[in-house]
Amino acid sequence: MSGAGAGTLRIAVVGGGPAGSFFALFALKYARLAGREVAITIYEGKDFRQFGQPGCNMCAGIIPASVLARFDELDLKLRPELILSRVNTYSLHTSAGTLHASQPDPAAHIISVYRGAGPRYGHPPDLVSFDQMVIEEAVARGARLRRSLVQEIRRGESGGTSPQRTSATPIEVTSGGESEPYDLVVLATGVNGHLPALRGFGYRPPPTSPMCQTELYLGSDEVQRRLGASVHIFLPPDEVATYGILIPKGPFVAVSLLHARSQMRSLRQFLAQDEVTAVLGTQVRQVCGCLPRISVGLARSFVDDGLVAVGDASATRLYKNGIGSALATAERAAWTAMHRGCTRRDFLASYVPLCHTIDSDNWIGRLLFLEVPVLKRVGAMPRAHHRLATGNGRQREVSELHTRILWGMFTGAYSYRDLLRMATSPNLVLQLALAVGGSILQKDTS
Ligand SMILES: Cc1cc2nc3c(=O)[nH]c(=O)nc-3n(C[C@H](O)[C@H](O)[C@H](O)COP(=O)(O)OP(=O)(O)OC[C@H]3O[C@@H](n4cnc5c(N)ncnc54)[C@H](O)[C@@H]3O)c2cc1C
């Protein structure tokens, strides 16, 4: 970090995915507003301009409007070429037919993007990477980018820092055989990277679950004809996966499987399911694939003197909107570092509560997701949901609430706490009970 003045806060951001780049952007903004000097280095092992897994942070690439709206805070303009598809409906395929949840208000749209430069094979030349756009913006505004993996983060010997610096001891970050001292290290390594050896810190990454992610090439017209502007969700048998999702992405369709039991074999089984071939057809060409993990819990000891973890490396919403959580945690951590300080106490006071809010909301999410096995196994349940969804007259209000809940569950537009509140509204519970009873009776008499 040669060139950083005595009063300059030296920050190493380890990982240049969304969380790391958003942190750099917010920290630069808050430093400018507070008249503080910062020198930010982002360490990133990948080059997002590469095709396939080497340039990609392995994700379905759905971003809801609520997250895009927050880009204004950073003066970030989404380049139109980045947007591959616009989604206005989620279609849940059940044993009783397909439930459609349409965008409940005009501002709730969703887009799909590629995190890297595009699939490994058959990529169009003009695809733009979302992660590359955000990191380029951070560099354009003053962050330094080091394209290399960090091997070690070590708490240094005490002393040697100026009084303006918030951390009492500098922290050594080692990458490519070189070490540099920093006042603050931001761990934004996600859950699929290479966690550096952490000496003198008790950080433990969050628990994760296995996913299977692949890209299919169909061509834009065929994607439009088969999927429309809809994300399609399927409930395959448990021995294949918990659920599977098809996402339109321009000429491609992204497929995400949660808890894929036998990795790529589960994918083949999923693509061969009748309900899936009814949407996709049988002539699909696989152009990319990976087996990432998804964060499903809270990291431990993720703040310390001079260290804070953000994004997946700390806390993220369960199965939803990870890019939104990356943005929210990065903003809060940057605000704390710039306006309060970089000690464990500072982060405990004004950053950790946000992560605990995300975590406690996820517990409610786990409760709501208990309906997935019920939907798979109890035929009366999907039939009851169909009745509610198509309710008219006096039941119209319940039907609208039902659509809003489905939209929120699929997109992450509302917190799980809000969804639970909506789902336990007395009128909805009553109508659902009546619909379940009606479905059971109808089955018995038919
Ligand atoms: C299959 C799947 C589908 C998903 N779909 C969606 C979706 O549609 N929408 C959504 O919002 N979220 C989705 N998510 C979640 C989303 O991908 C994550 O929440 C999001 O990427 C978190 O951002 P991050 O910056 O914390 O981590 P990451 O995006 O994982 O970025 C971490 C970065 O750190 C770098 N790194 C790691 N270790 C080192 C090191 N030692 N030195 C230097 N660099 C390092 C990595 O190369 C990487 O670039 C999905 C996740 C999975 C697994």
Side-chain angles (χ1 to χ4, degrees):
M1 274 268 74
S2 57
T8 305
L9 186 73
R10 303 161 302 180
I11 304 176
V13 177
V14 183
S21 295
F22 286 141
F23 179 94
L25 286 165
F26 276 115
L28 287 163
K29 172 182 166 173
Y30 293 143
R32 195 182 64 247
L33 292 176
R36 292 191 64 175
E37 288 289 321
V38 287
I40 300 180
T41 303
I42 303 175
Y43 292 86
E44 173 51 59
K46 286 185 177 168
D47 180 350
F48 305 125
R49 294 165 300 187
Q50 287 190 33
F51 299 109
Q53 212 171 322
C56 174
N57 274 327
M58 300 178 287
C59 149
I62 295 179
I63 309 183
S66 55
V67 176
L68 298 176
R70 291 204 64 184
F71 284 11
D72 288 349
E73 293 169 37
L74 287 169
D75 215 9
L76 264 186
K77 300 274 171 284
L78 207 65
R79 286 162 56 187
E81 320 86 271
L82 249 156
I83 303 172
L84 291 163
S85 290
R86 289 181 188 274
V87 170
N88 58 25
T89 309
Y90 273 67
S91 305
L92 176 65
H93 297 257
T94 72
S95 55
T98 308
L99 275 170
H100 299 284
S102 303
Q103 193 175 314
D105 63 76
H109 67 277
I110 279 176
I111 60 159
S112 61
V113 300
Y114 267 119
R115 302 285 301 274
R120 181 83 183 83
Y121 305 105
H123 39 77
D126 49 355
L127 267 181
V128 182
S129 150
F130 175 79
D131 289 21
Q132 178 65 15
M133 179 208 84
V134 188
I135 207 169
E136 267 176 13
E137 215 38 66
V139 171
R141 295 181 196 188
R144 179 176 73 131
L145 173 61
R146 280 200 58 177
R147 278 199 193 282
S148 63
L149 279 178
V150 168
Q151 284 96 30
E152 188 185 67
I153 299 170
R154 177 188 290 273
R155 191 177 288 294
E157 299 302 315
S158 61
T161 48
S162 80
Q164 287 93 326
R165 290 187 173 139
T166 15
S167 162
T169 55
I171 297 163
E172 296 290 330
V173 171
T174 306
S175 175
E178 270 176 49
S179 293
E180 293 194 40
Y182 291 96
D183 305 297
L184 172 67
V185 173
V186 180
L187 206 57
T189 40
V191 290
N192 288 295
H194 307 262
L195 185 65
L198 287 144
R199 316 271 183 224
F201 299 96
Y203 173 78
R204 292 282 172 275
T208 58
S209 283
M211 299 277 295
C212 176
Q213 176 74 29
T214 195
E215 309 294 322
L216 309 172
Y217 178 81
L218 273 83
S220 299
D221 292 345
E222 203 57 9
V223 171
Q224 184 57 36
R225 189 172 77 77
R226 292 186 169 277
L227 277 77
S230 179
V231 167
H232 293 256
I233 303 175
F234 299 86
L235 304 170
D238 283 342
E239 56 274 21
V240 176
T242 303
Y243 60 77
I245 311 179
L246 305 181
I247 301 127
K249 278 188 169 181
F252 302 103
V253 174
V255 185
S256 287
L257 287 190
L258 177 68
H259 292 138
R261 298 290 183 266
S262 332
Q263 305 184 331
M264 286 299 172
R265 188 151 67 89
S266 303
L267 178 75
R268 285 192 293 278
Q269 289 169 332
F270 174 71
L271 293 176
Q273 301 268 304
D274 288 346
E275 311 86 71
V276 180
T277 54
V279 175
L280 274 183
T282 48
Q283 300 301 310
V284 290
R285 186 154 65 93
Q286 195 181 335
V287 287
C288 211
C290 58
L291 297 165
R293 302 199 61 93
I294 193 160
S295 166
V296 292
L298 192 64
R300 283 193 285 154
S301 306
F302 58 90
V303 298
D304 208 325
D305 289 333
L307 182 122
V308 62
V310 293
D312 276 9
S314 60
T316 188
R317 285 199 70 194
L318 186 69
Y319 308 142
K320 293 281 158 293
N321 202 0
I323 296 171
S325 299
L327 187 128
T329 52
E331 187 280 331
R332 199 67 215 155
W335 187 93
T336 306
M338 290 306 131
H339 290 292
R340 246 192 114 108
C342 302
T343 64
R344 180 168 182 271
R345 224 175 137 148
D346 295 319
F347 291 122
L348 279 175
S350 98
Y351 171 63
V352 172
L354 168 70
C355 300
H356 283 160
T357 304
I358 294 173
D359 188 50
S360 57
D361 197 53
N362 285 345
W363 282 103
I364 301 175
R366 278 180 202 105
L367 194 72
L368 293 169
F369 276 108
L370 287 179
E371 205 192 340
V372 172
V374 180
L375 275 172
K376 283 187 185 186
R377 291 190 193 103
V378 185
M381 205 62 181
R383 289 199 298 277
H385 275 286
H386 276 273
R387 285 181 174 213
L388 285 193
T390 51
N392 47 30
R394 279 177 47 221
Q395 279 151 19
R396 187 163 189 86
E397 217 177 280
V398 168
S399 160
E400 280 171 8
L401 182 61
H402 183 258
T403 303
R404 198 171 273 276
I405 294 170
L406 285 182
W407 180 262
M409 276 305 282
F410 299 146
T411 62
Y414 314 113
S415 68
Y416 289 124
R417 186 169 277 105
D418 283 346
L419 286 168
L420 182 68
R421 195 176 35 74
M422 291 185 219
T424 49
S425 97
N427 202 7
L428 183 84
V429 173
L430 175 69
Q431 295 300 332
L432 184 63
L434 289 173
V436 171
S439 309
I440 293 170
L441 283 177
Q442 194 183 32
K443 184 86 193 297
D444 286 348
T445 51
S446 60

